[in-house]
Amino acid sequence: MIDLILLAEGPKELEGGKLLAEEEGKPLYLHAFQAARQTADAMLGLRVIVVTRPGVLDEAIRAFGFNKVVVSGCRSLSEAIVAGTKAARSGASRCFLSCGRREVTGEQLTAFLQGYILSGRPLGRMSSAGGGAGAMVFAPYLLPRLLALKGEEDGSRLFEGREGRTFSYDGSGREAAGPEKAE
């Protein structure tokens, strides 16, 4: 069971209306919403949660059938992640995707999450075409670590030393080669 948590809150996401600005003919957040909807349609039981401010994206969240978590006056990325972590179902893995990541498609996100499930590993990391993490997923036993995040921490440190326990996906439809693949 996986809960997909879209981060539409945080200093970088809503700064100056960034998520509402048009990119490639549509608001930036819409890229992530469409990818999440396509993935939820493809994966039975996937729940989508959007972390945002009061009154922001309400209409779109309802139209896509997503759940909403409100964080007032979010000052850091970790606050948004903690709010999403708390809103997820008990026993669910938590997958985080920033609404500012327009390069992640529904096909890639679906393949990543299906690969994560099949891998049996507790962690998953998807790199995106634009560089950096496209999405990150954490097994339920990592809940205390996610809840302890501070400042601009995004959970990336939880991958350190766990390379062999991480499903890495490069967006191409296959598991990415990484340190855990070296012989």
Side-chain angles (χ1 to χ4, degrees):
M1 168 172 55
I2 298 176
D3 281 357
L4 174 58
I5 302 162
L6 300 179
L7 300 172
E9 173 56 66
K12 292 179 185 170
E13 280 75 20
L14 289 173
E15 193 174 89
K18 175 184 170 187
L19 291 180
L20 303 175
E22 297 255 334
E23 270 201 35
E24 296 181 11
K26 57 187 171 185
L28 182 57
Y29 77 87
L30 199 51
H31 296 274
F33 273 42
Q34 289 172 334
R37 178 75 269 151
Q38 185 175 354
T39 301
D41 289 346
M43 296 181 67
L44 188 62
L46 182 78
R47 180 176 173 223
V48 180
I49 301 166
V50 180
V51 179
T52 190
R53 293 183 184 171
V56 176
L57 303 177
D58 288 346
E59 189 175 314
I61 292 168
R62 272 191 301 278
F64 277 85
F66 297 158
N67 298 284
K68 180 178 180 174
V69 174
V70 174
V71 180
S72 296
C74 187
R75 293 173 304 281
S76 68
L77 177 59
S78 65
E79 286 181 59
I81 291 173
V82 167
T85 297
K86 288 179 178 179
R89 296 173 287 185
S90 176
S93 290
R94 284 130 169 99
C95 178
F96 296 93
L97 176 65
S98 169
C99 283
R101 305 302 304 200
R102 69 175 166 77
E103 61 276 347
V104 176
T105 68
E107 292 88 4
Q108 291 169 330
L109 187 57
T110 301
F112 166 62
L113 290 176
Q114 289 172 340
Y116 164 77
I117 292 166
L118 292 173
S119 77
R121 296 179 187 158
L123 292 161
R125 177 180 269 171
M126 174 188 194
S127 53
S128 69
M136 295 187 292
V137 62
F138 304 88
Y141 80 86
L142 293 165
L143 176 66
R145 292 249 169 112
L146 290 172
L147 293 173
L149 294 176
K150 301 286 184 219
E152 291 308 306
E153 292 179 318
D154 64 358
S156 294
R157 286 192 312 150
L158 298 178
F159 292 91
E160 293 173 9
R162 293 184 172 99
E163 290 81 10
R165 302 183 73 205
T166 300
F167 173 73
S168 297
Y169 180 82
D170 67 4
S172 68
R174 64 183 179 282
E175 187 170 1
E180 68 276 8
K181 297 292 180 192
E183 302 199 87

